[in-house]
Amino acid sequence: FNYFHTRRVLQKYGPKLLVGELQEGLEKKVRREERAIAAEHSGASYSATETFGENVPYGDPNWYQGWRSPYYNDSHKKYRAAVREYLEAELAPNVSRWVEDCKIPLDVMRGLAKQGIYQSLIKGKWNSQYYGTTIPGGIKPEEFDWFHTMIAASEFGRLASSGMFWGVFCGVNIGLPPIMNFGSDYLKKLVVSDIANARKFICLAITEPWAGSDVANIRTTAKLSEDGKYYIVNGLKKWITNGVWADFFTTAVRTGGDGMGGISLLLLEKSMPGVNVRKITTTGSDGSGTSYIAFENVKVPVENRIGKEGEGFKYIMTNFNTERYMIVVVSASAARVCYEEAFKYANKRKTFGKKLVEHPVVREKLANMIRKVESLYSWIELTTHQLNTMTPKEQFNFLGGPIALLKAQSTLTLEFCAREALHIFGGNGYTRSGQGEKVERLYRDAKGSSIPGGSEEIMLDLGVRQAAKNFPKT
């Protein structure tokens, strides 16, 4: 059975078939609980032997596997356990079906919001005014930080579907923050609470058929009406994630002349006359609701402007850092999934009379995946610490270049691990079901991480340009 199936099959049917538990297993469980209680009463915040997960070597971040870390405390451990439990019970069994159907039920988002997981990906400190006070693991709002956000994104990455992650979180993750950070009280009251709790949905509409990473050259126009009460919006947006079901669009428009200084942000509503949305089918990231949007003489009240006129480019750039950070974390987690699945498979699949893991060439593939994923994760933790401790102004000034390079590194690592893992799986990795299902899906999804949010080439160039800008002048 183990040779032809994964643990997921037993997770699905096991509860119906379980007739008892071996005494030895019960005794081990009791001993683990006794050690946990002893550690709690000793006042130790973290034990070097404390582990979480399946304990596949390198299959989880090192702090899951007993390594000491300066970044995490009890709130992170409680949060991690609660998020994983919910995702594995409620989402993991359904991911394949939802992705193949290219449709994620909106009740998924509502369920995540009730748990406090949905709000965790909005980024930054917990905002009880809009989010409520329910947080996984029973942690307090004042305890919530960027490492909790990182854990949520990382755990979601274990579902092995970028379409699933972006289908659920893209709008709330990148469409809502500009309103929270720069919007008027009127706009915040209008949408934030409903969107944060998945009663309504939003997306970020920047990219156009002729302007992707080159944001300063967008062509969608917004001209003031003669009475000064409305902007009249005309233009096209393409590859807009979550646009299919979004109720609101945080939209980049041109209110002034050419270049970055002529860009503003407006909040448009799908119900406004002249807004037309249709679905786009993509290579991977199925289920993310990617869309093509046409605006034809859409009347938008001036009260729906986000921040100041002409400041939109700055707001977009501020938003890019944390958008790219999310891509980084999810891609790194997905890369680790590729390694973990390949490692488990290599320990049971036999060729030429011995297990795959006993072949040196396969061990080399696994070793290269490990070193890339582990070094990447350390860089992510360091960057997360900066997000935790820097002011917003410091983040804007110092993190643009490093996060751009980190995005390139993360998505390149995902592409590498997906390719190597697929080769280890062979035919099973080229099949959309069965033991190689996760790897096959991530292989298709990989470009859905390296292109959005700024393509790999643009990120590498931006990182070096930022470094050159900060080079000491002699």
Side-chain angles (χ1 to χ4, degrees):
F1 182 91
N2 183 57
Y3 193 81
F4 291 105
H5 301 85
T6 65
R7 287 184 69 254
R8 293 191 296 278
V9 178
L10 279 180
Q11 289 172 342
K12 181 177 181 180
Y13 296 105
K16 302 176 184 178
L17 304 175
L18 181 66
V19 295
E21 188 170 349
L22 295 176
Q23 183 64 31
E24 182 183 1
L26 289 172
E27 290 173 353
K28 288 182 179 179
K29 181 178 180 181
V30 170
R31 286 198 294 272
R32 285 197 303 270
E33 292 174 349
E34 289 174 344
R35 286 198 300 270
I37 293 171
E40 181 179 345
H41 286 288
S42 69
S45 61
Y46 195 91
S47 168
T49 58
E50 184 179 357
T51 61
F52 179 83
E54 295 181 28
N55 289 318
V56 175
Y58 305 106
D60 276 310
N62 51 35
W63 73 281
Y64 286 44
Q65 302 198 333
W67 286 51
R68 297 186 185 277
S69 171
Y71 299 120
Y72 307 100
N73 55 43
D74 283 340
S75 75
H76 298 112
K77 289 183 283 184
K78 293 175 183 176
Y79 180 86
R80 172 189 65 186
V83 170
R84 178 169 291 194
E85 180 181 10
Y86 184 83
L87 296 185
E88 289 192 345
E90 302 297 329
L91 273 67
N94 302 300
V95 169
S96 298
R97 175 166 54 86
W98 292 336
V99 169
E100 288 301 314
D101 291 345
C102 295
K103 186 176 182 180
I104 302 169
L106 298 184
D107 280 345
V108 171
M109 290 74 138
R110 297 183 182 111
L112 289 163
K114 288 180 180 178
Q115 298 294 318
I117 299 174
Y118 193 67
Q119 298 88 333
S120 300
L121 273 295
I122 297 175
K123 302 174 291 195
K125 298 294 183 182
W126 190 268
N127 192 320
S128 298
Q129 177 184 353
Y130 298 116
Y131 308 169
T133 57
T134 299
I135 307 177
I139 70 171
K140 300 175 182 177
E142 59 269 22
E143 294 178 305
F144 191 88
D145 63 16
W146 272 99
F147 281 101
H148 294 95
T149 296
M150 187 191 82
I151 291 167
S154 185
E155 287 295 318
F156 223 91
R158 294 182 71 254
L159 297 176
S161 170
S162 64
M164 188 71 194
F165 179 83
W166 292 116
V168 170
F169 289 114
C170 187
V172 76
N173 178 256
I174 66 176
L176 185 58
I179 298 172
M180 296 189 68
N181 294 332
F182 307 108
S184 64
D185 289 340
Y186 162 75
L187 286 181
K188 291 176 183 177
K189 185 176 181 180
L190 178 68
V191 301
V192 173
S193 182
D194 279 345
I195 292 171
N197 291 281
R199 292 187 289 268
K200 296 285 186 178
F201 300 94
I202 194 169
C203 68
L204 183 67
I206 296 177
T207 304
E208 300 180 350
W210 33 73
S213 298
D214 189 10
V215 175
N217 282 323
I218 64 162
R219 300 184 188 178
T220 297
T221 59
K223 298 181 180 179
L224 274 176
S225 60
E226 292 184 1
D227 59 10
K229 294 181 179 181
Y230 298 93
Y231 286 101
I232 310 302
V233 178
N234 286 279
L236 302 172
K237 298 293 179 179
K238 193 173 184 181
W239 303 293
I240 305 305
T241 310
N242 291 183
V244 171
W245 54 76
D247 301 289
F248 299 96
F249 307 89
T250 298
T251 309
V253 297
R254 186 164 299 283
T255 53
D258 294 340
M260 62 185 71
I263 296 175
S264 300
L265 288 182
L266 297 180
L267 182 68
L268 275 68
E269 301 177 37
K270 183 176 283 183
S271 59
M272 292 175 173
V275 176
N276 296 286
V277 181
R278 64 179 173 85
K279 180 183 175 182
I280 294 177
T281 301
T282 55
T283 299
S285 299
D286 302 313
S288 60
T290 305
S291 62
Y292 183 94
I293 306 171
F295 302 122
E296 186 174 355
N297 294 322
V298 182
K299 291 178 64 176
V300 183
V302 293
E303 291 82 7
N304 281 34
R305 188 183 67 233
I306 301 170
K308 298 178 181 179
E309 190 170 290
E311 295 286 303
F313 187 84
K314 182 176 73 174
Y315 303 154
I316 293 168
M317 292 302 105
T318 301
N319 206 48
F320 264 147
N321 271 354
T322 46
E323 175 187 356
R324 290 165 182 162
Y325 170 83
M326 289 299 167
I327 296 174
V328 165
V329 177
V330 174
S331 298
S333 180
R336 191 185 292 276
V337 168
C338 291
Y339 154 75
E340 180 185 5
E341 293 293 303
F343 184 75
K344 290 189 290 189
Y345 185 74
N347 273 277
K348 67 177 181 179
R349 170 72 169 175
K350 289 185 177 181
T351 60
F352 305 103
K354 55 184 178 181
K355 293 178 180 179
L356 286 178
V357 76
E358 295 173 348
H359 294 281
V361 67
V362 173
R363 291 200 299 271
E364 182 182 17
K365 288 180 179 294
L366 293 168
N368 282 325
M369 285 191 272
I370 291 168
R371 67 180 178 82
K372 286 177 179 286
V373 169
E374 288 298 319
S375 57
L376 172 62
Y377 198 80
S378 293
W379 192 1
I380 292 172
E381 287 182 316
L382 179 61
T383 303
T384 305
H385 180 62
Q386 309 316 306
L387 290 170
N388 246 4
T389 55
M390 284 183 173
T391 64
K393 183 177 180 180
E394 288 173 328
Q395 293 175 22
F396 184 78
N397 290 335
F398 294 113
L399 295 185
I403 288 180
L405 293 174
L406 185 53
K407 179 183 182 291
Q409 181 68 10
S410 185
T411 56
L412 283 167
T413 298
L414 172 56
E415 288 188 44
F416 175 86
C417 290
R419 180 187 186 279
E420 295 299 276
L422 191 147
H423 277 252
I424 290 173
F425 271 95
N428 280 322
Y430 199 60
T431 308
R432 291 197 182 191
S433 60
Q435 299 183 80
E437 173 189 347
K438 289 184 177 181
V439 170
E440 187 277 335
R441 187 165 61 232
L442 288 172
Y443 185 81
R444 282 186 289 116
D445 279 358
K447 285 300 179 184
S449 296
S450 65
I451 295 174
S455 67
E456 174 188 311
E457 294 79 9
I458 298 294
M459 294 297 93
L460 292 170
D461 181 65
L462 175 59
V464 177
R465 283 193 292 109
Q466 289 290 310
K469 180 179 178 182
N470 295 325
F471 186 72
K473 302 298 187 291
T474 57

